[in-house]
């Protein structure tokens, strides 16, 4: 509604801007009208002779959008003035045929089914990008399965993990989103066709046959009953995309934190005109992450609108339905935009394994205290070990020394552990637990889903 | 957090207040701790001898909740002070065993897994209530499959439908929610167990075996990797319950509109102390609908919190995770409360078929104009018929007469239609289109899902 | 972002679509750039000779929006490619001057200040429409100060009120919103100017003077410090408009309920092509209310986005700021659209006082039971009166008679009250309490605010 | 509603848990009932003799909360069963007096006015804490007015600022929130008193006098008209607190980023049992920031609920009003909890100025490139200077040298700038622009507001 192709260039994708353009929105409604004419003619509801003129005129390129906009305000929706224009166009070709335009249908039938057709296009794009994101993450997970990295909790150094484990965590969520999107299609790609009050009464005894033929023509499911005021189907699209955007936002938050000048462990791919600053040559702005994070701020509120709008009155709603019109396309576009950005970021991510390793030493060995405690505990008991190592840690911190220095001078410790033992225990690569196993598990699931993608 | 058992009595259910009580929350964390001890002993990580004392002390009844609350503030979560209390209790019984309390686990493991156990309880209750709601709606749909009712669009009389069709629409959504809840369980009923940074490093080489044993002990799925900062599993619970609440809100909106004094077509069941007013004896407040509608106002915003909170930092979040603790239980309770109310309302709904029939005449026959137009159009062409009937409608409205009166005096009309024809065409029961067929379709799906429930 | 002029025609207003068009957005940023050049030249920071070329090129009509969009994606905002285009244009006119374009400023300075200028335009429109809405409501309140109407609680008939009281309630909220909007301006109409990190360091010792001159040039307040990541100023706009939209939604809900075919007490103004239905001639859809109700569904979620986005990092945010760009214009436009609709609805509202009076008898006098009880209670005590009247009410309901019939046959009642008394007590107009006084109080406040508007 | 005193200990404050306890909620409703009796007796509406018994029984300590909860579910609100219990208690003392309990009032009068009284208590606490936060921030701003700090944009090092400027930015927002809270009180601290349908009809001609006396008794404003379904007053509380929480979240985000192990520029105050980890001795978790950030995730969604709920039907809402009951207390408590935490954090913040200075050198001087460019540009022109310095920056980065090393070896540069000049230009403290001036401006405003607080 905010009429901006400019911000769309930042937050959406080219493909999605096409899917949800005014022109495409109108075309999808016209696709409904054309299929309706075919289905009704096939069932003998309208004459076969009306079909050619109607289908020929179902071309958004021939619709006067400015006139449509002018009439849409008072009408309260787009379908009423669209059907008027279409009828006039058909009348210009074949006056008799024009009587059968939109026969037995209501505005909501055209608007809802048109939107479902747009959603199908959109979901195809999202599925494709999501598969590529999965591929990129699988590659990162395999490549860095053993690359040590600071594990951070509460934004504090905690214990070593591996960068592969981190990527596997992102991938694990992506795989679940693929499942959700597959389950969703079975519910949302459904025809809406009910006529003025949802009974198809004006089609006499042929309502259901026409509906079935229409669904087949459009490649949509025939629902058990029209769903004009049961909006869980479309609200679910919002919900599943909201979940996906949340996961993309989490990935973007992680990467932008890794990319801080102070951390510098990973970076978005570099490209001309992307994220640089002429006056601050050292800067490398995470523009892809910013888009994903902005989406993660926006989509939750937009999803709540779709959910609030579900409380719809009787057989056609007053407010709740209309609230969907801009909101759902916005959710889809923001999700697709965030997804495209994170796919590009993941595919071209620069990973600085050396810096990751170096940062593990920021705490001068203290991050490895638990490993030393456990090893020592195996010999003298956990509680005793805990006390000794804790004391060593405090001493190291107070005297600003590396923990190793303190440990090798502690007689209680060197009574049990050699300097070599200590060096080994202080090596983060030796204390990553099940990181590699978790990576393997996630990659196995990934391969089961995407058998073609074994190249990682 | 708002500490109110009083509002809980209005918006939640007894069962859910039990599932999410402070006591139950603590017990579920303790269930995790007990199962952890058993699993670790079975894998030889801790001594078998430690198990009896630990499991015996995992009893929420023995925990000092006031002390826990006092310590929770500075600690920032409930698990830290809980583990402290538990350790102290175990030490009182068996000092050696107390060393193995919470071994290798982190606070989030206990909190998240405990919450999953609560969610399992909650989903069981919701599934049961949802099945009963489906039964009640199926009964209404069958019983009123042919009961004529005003179909209202934009809150205006539109065309006749049947009350059975309305109930079938509500049911249709419920059946989809049952599918979603089934799909959801496969993702959310998963163990969270990763240790301090998600690697299980402190368990050496036995992390994964312990995790597997622990999952089996608790009857939960073993996920491919810990999910401490991948929150789509729990956010999906919020989303699916949000969709369900939206559908319940729609049902409540419809029923409360039917129940208006001015409409009086249906009513909530009457009960002592429920919805009456001593000073206004004619009042019959829709208290069940009010609860469902309040939930439908609240849950969308709460879902947006769960989605916003998904953007979690690294291996333990700062804010996003904590935001879930009150929010998810609130969503579950509000959904369960709304569901229980609407189940009761649907089961005991009073339906006034006579008043439904009478209200169809509010427009003095104009609601049947389309039926007359179609019949006439079959004889003299649709456009001609449309003009004639429209003129008759305007005349009837202008002269404040019933449409029938005008029709039977219109020479153009009576040339084609007999008075008997006109009476038949003005009968709403004859113009409900595919209403009955749609009811049958939904009921077939219902029976496929719930073969036991063929009694409707 | 959703690129739709079509839905904008439904939900926004012509004026607002102009204020927030891509073109106007760019022009407002260019207004900032032109004023910056003037201010810097006046302070001797850049040469006076650079000003004419720069200001001449600050014309959005000369900007290539398609090229801007193409560059905005990788750049991550609109200001970077805009400044590039502007610089190139100035260079074409005066190469030397082009060196001083955007001197010392950062992208966010242009974007934020440009947005503040758009908001000023928008607030002017909203204030004007709000004043007209207040006038219309004041007129309704005065005109129907004594028009009896069913007061409905829980959507059930409760007690009589007057339609003037209802209108006064709507007006009362509008008057508070006018106060809020006035208070808001003092905070939001503030310059944002801080340079790359908010210190204006590149302007040496003249930063503050330039800022002061720039604020004066643009007619904005000079804030104590730049507010690039302190977003309460703009989030407050969202909040206040959200409150206003909530009140408009309440008004729309009320009117749409009054307008139900079953109630028919009031109606939106009738106009060609507005809210009618060719196949259902009796329909009169509340299209204005639908727009306001859709806004009331959407704006709360959008406001939550603005609030979520406030958590911005350091000196320039990653996600939170970007989330504002589409969201705030959408909130403003939805509010303005809802306001314009409700202004039109209030100005042209058809009020059916006769039907209001008739509906007061829907409960066959029971709505007046409290009045009878009080009168009787004055003679025989409240408890005794309550019992007698309650019994009469039940009898009337059970025998389907008007309460009057039962009352005049009740010996206990007629011992105290004459038939004339009873008729008087059953007259709703006599039991509207302080309705008229409340109307007077609100109108007095209205007149104090809007002394010019005494015509109601 | 979620019944948790445990999470309240984390997210709320002791004072707020008291203000919003079930007991206090009931007491505030009883305060209304007692004041009502006094006001009505003073106006001669009820006998003076009824007052002592009624006021004596208005004691929440004597109310059976379990019985109240049991009755609240079917009744749909707390006031109905509360008035019943109160009446029974009064009857036990003085049967005659019990007839005058709740005289002429409706449930919503007691609930809404009780809530306003709770809000007044809450706002007092919030004002006090906010003043202390302002004091702490003013102190930080003054103390660190000249402490150089990395300014970070897009989470990348940008240019130097001062820590004082950062604190002044936080303070600037706090000062605006103080203004908003003051403006808010004038609207929200208003009596709600309208009787069953908002007309006070049952009080005959004395409704307005009783209302005025009641308002005076409670120390509340007498509104022009009852506001039972005009909810902007209470929704505004949510909005203003939402804005405040957003600012607190921004402060918490900043501080938690400064506190990262990798950055270590500032830290939350250390205290026993607060934010430490026994197994990871180096950890210092930002538990205060986590609470504020969790609030900043939760409150936006909760505010959207209050806004959605504003669309209330007629004279008593179905869902929208009920949705407020838990939501508003939750918003207030979360805000108060976040505020208390950030007040403590700001008061005890450890600032490591040396580390701040050291981090300015992370980019090996590149962060100062702009300063060098400007100085050089003053001599040889900005464009020439830009090219030379940019080349030097790239060389330094490529050869992994400090920018100083490269600059002092560049013949073009040393032709214009001495080594001393270069050292001076590379000193961040010399390039903080108007940072100090901005601090002064904010502190001046602070002192105007809080003349008592000149001690910073």
């Amino acid at each position: 509604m905010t009429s901006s192709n400019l911000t769309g260039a930042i937050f959406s994708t080219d493909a999605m801007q096409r899917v949800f353009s005014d022109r495409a929105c109108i075309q999808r409604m016209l696709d409904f009208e054309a299929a309706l004419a075919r289905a009704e003619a096939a069932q003998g509801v309208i004459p076969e002779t009306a079909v050619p003129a109607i289908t020929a005129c179902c071309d958004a390129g021939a619709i006067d959008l400015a006139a449509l906009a002018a009439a849409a305000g008072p009408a309260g929706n787009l379908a009423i003035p669209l059907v008027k224009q279409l009828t006039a166009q058909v009348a210009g070709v074949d006056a008799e045929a024009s009587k059968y335009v939109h026969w037995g249908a209501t505005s909501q039938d055209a608007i809802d089914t048109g939107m479902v057709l747009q959603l199908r296009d959109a979901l195809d794009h999202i599925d494709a990008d999501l598969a590529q994101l999965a591929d990129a993450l699988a590659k990162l997970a395999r490549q860095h399965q053993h690359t040590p990295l600071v594990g951070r909790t509460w934004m504090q150094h905690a214990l070593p993990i591996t960068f592969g484990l981190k990527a596997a965590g992102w991938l694990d969520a992506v795989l679940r989103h693929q499942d959700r999107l597959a389950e969703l299609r079975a519910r949302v790609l459904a025809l809406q066709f009910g006529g003025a009050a949802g009974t198809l009464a004006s089609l006499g005894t042929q309502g259901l046959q026409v509906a079935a033929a229409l669904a087949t023509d459009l490649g949509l499911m025939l629902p058990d009953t029209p769903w004009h005021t049961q909006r869980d189907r479309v609200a679910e699209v919002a919900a599943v995309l909201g979940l996906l955007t949340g996961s993309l936002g989490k990935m973007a938050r992680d990467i932008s934190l890794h990319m801080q000048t102070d951390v510098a462990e990973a970076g978005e791919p570099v490209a001309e005109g992307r994220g640089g600053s002429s006056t601050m040559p050292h800067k490398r702005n995470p523009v892809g992450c910013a888009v994903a994070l902005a989406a993660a701020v926006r989509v939750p509120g937009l999803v709540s609108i779709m959910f609030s709008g579900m409380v719809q009155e009787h057989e056609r709603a007053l407010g709740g339905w209309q609230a969907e019109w801009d909101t759902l396309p916005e959710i889809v576009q923001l999700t697709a935009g965030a997804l495209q950005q994170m796919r590009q970021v993941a595919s071209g991510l620069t990973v600085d394994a050396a810096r990751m390793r170096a940062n593990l030493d920021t705490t001068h060995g203290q991050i490895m205290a638990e490993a030393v405690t456990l090893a020592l505990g195996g010999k003298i008991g956990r509680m005793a070990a805990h006390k000794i190592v804790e004391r060593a840690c405090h001493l190291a911190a107070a005297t600003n020394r590396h923990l190793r220095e303190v440990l090798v001078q502690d007689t209680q410790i060197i009574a049990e552990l050699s300097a070599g033992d200590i060096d080994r225990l202080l090596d983060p690569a030796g204390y990553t637990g099940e990181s590699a196993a978790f990576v393997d598990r996630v990659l196995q699931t990934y391969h089961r889903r995407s058998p073609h993608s074994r190249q990682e």
Side-chain angles (χ1 to χ4, degrees), chain A:
Chain A
M1 192 198 78
T2 49
S3 315
S4 179
N5 296 306
L6 295 180
T7 56
I10 298 173
F11 297 116
S12 182
T13 71
D14 290 348
M16 284 301 167
Q17 289 190 287
R18 278 193 299 275
V19 170
F20 291 104
S21 70
D22 276 352
R23 190 67 65 193
C25 167
I26 295 302
Q27 184 58 57
R28 289 319 202 172
M29 284 198 253
L30 293 172
D31 291 347
F32 167 85
E33 300 292 348
L36 177 65
R38 285 190 296 266
E40 291 182 332
Q43 301 300 317
V45 172
I46 68 169
E48 274 291 352
T49 52
V51 174
I54 293 176
T55 56
C57 290
C58 283
D59 171 12
I63 296 296
D64 178 343
L65 294 186
L68 193 61
N77 72 49
L78 298 177
I80 293 173
L82 175 61
V83 169
K84 255 188 210 160
Q85 276 201 38
L86 173 62
T87 305
Q89 299 239 11
V90 174
V93 178
D94 177 345
E96 181 60 20
S98 75
K99 297 178 188 169
Y100 300 104
V101 167
H102 194 62
W103 184 267
T106 192
S107 296
Q108 186 161 8
D109 294 336
I111 293 171
D112 276 357
T113 302
M115 185 187 60
V116 167
L117 295 173
Q118 287 178 289
L119 286 174
R120 184 170 59 189
D121 295 341
L123 290 173
D124 288 347
H125 283 291
I126 286 173
D127 281 352
D129 257 23
L130 203 53
Q132 288 188 34
L133 174 59
D135 294 346
L137 292 176
K139 207 170 151 188
L140 283 172
R142 179 62 76 207
Q143 205 168 339
H144 295 284
Q145 185 168 14
H146 304 286
T147 304
L149 171 72
V150 173
R152 292 169 174 96
T153 59
W154 296 76
M155 292 173 71
Q156 299 282 309
H157 286 203
L159 287 179
I161 63 167
T162 67
F163 185 63
L165 178 59
K166 191 145 211 167
W170 298 333
L171 175 57
D172 198 28
V174 165
L175 297 174
R176 286 189 294 275
H177 292 304
Q178 289 181 318
D179 289 347
R180 290 184 186 107
L181 283 163
E183 293 163 4
L184 168 72
R185 281 178 177 251
R187 283 182 286 265
V188 74
L189 299 183
L191 177 73
Q192 162 56 30
F193 183 53
T199 64
L200 294 174
S202 63
L203 296 182
T205 59
Q206 287 161 299
L208 211 48
Q209 289 106 297
V210 169
L214 179 54
T216 302
D217 186 293
L218 292 168
L220 297 175
M221 186 185 69
L222 177 69
D224 284 348
T225 181
W227 46 277
H228 35 265
T229 46
Q230 295 292 351
R231 311 305 290 179
D232 57 289
R233 295 177 194 270
V234 285
E236 189 184 2
V237 178
V240 170
L241 296 184
L243 291 169
L244 171 53
T245 301
S247 294
L248 295 170
K250 187 269 185 285
M251 199 184 311
R253 173 66 51 88
D254 281 354
I255 290 173
S256 62
L257 287 167
H258 286 301
M259 224 179 132
Q260 291 172 98
T261 311
D262 309 274
V263 177
E265 293 169 341
E268 288 199 6
V270 184
E272 186 56 35
R274 184 184 166 96
S277 164
S278 69
T279 61
M280 297 178 285
H282 55 286
K283 285 203 75 179
R284 200 165 142 205
N285 292 334
V287 291
C289 291
V291 168
L293 287 165
V297 171
R298 292 173 66 182
V299 170
L302 295 170
V303 171
S304 76
I305 295 170
M306 292 294 296
F307 279 44
S308 290
M310 289 180 72
V311 182
Q312 301 201 354
E313 292 84 8
H314 291 316
E315 282 63 62
R316 184 95 65 255
L318 205 65
W321 175 47
Q322 293 82 353
E324 298 173 1
W325 298 344
D326 287 331
T327 306
L328 192 55
E330 209 160 334
I331 291 170
V332 179
Q333 289 190 76
L334 289 169
T335 303
L339 175 57
Q340 178 178 271
Q341 293 286 346
M342 294 318 290
R343 171 178 67 69
Q344 290 171 355
V345 167
S347 303
L349 194 75
T350 61
V351 177
D352 188 338
R355 181 66 188 256
M356 286 179 179
R357 180 63 192 78
N359 285 348
L360 276 157
D361 220 33
T362 300
T363 57
H364 304 301
Q366 304 239 4
I367 198 172
M368 299 310 300
E370 186 183 283
V372 179
T373 305
L374 283 172
L376 193 62
K379 309 202 172 196
I380 64 168
R382 181 188 166 224
M383 302 303 267
H386 185 78
K387 263 186 207 155
I388 293 171
V389 176
E390 194 173 41
R391 197 189 54 207
C393 284
H394 288 156
L395 182 60
T399 57
N400 207 16
R401 283 184 293 167
H402 195 283
L403 181 59
R404 186 186 185 283
E405 271 185 70
V406 175
L407 293 177
V408 296
Q409 291 172 8
D410 187 309
T411 51
Q412 285 183 289
I413 289 170
I414 55 175
E416 305 290 342
L417 300 169
S418 70
D421 288 342
I422 289 171
D423 283 341
R424 193 180 40 74
L425 289 169
L426 291 180
D427 177 11
Y431 198 67
T432 59
E434 301 287 7
S435 295
F438 287 141
V439 169
D440 282 336
R441 288 171 61 89
V442 175
L443 288 178
Q444 278 161 24
T445 300
Y446 161 72
H447 287 308
R448 272 196 302 276
R449 305 290 163 83
S450 328
H452 65 285
S453 306
R454 291 177 192 258
Q455 74 277 12
E456 50 67 44

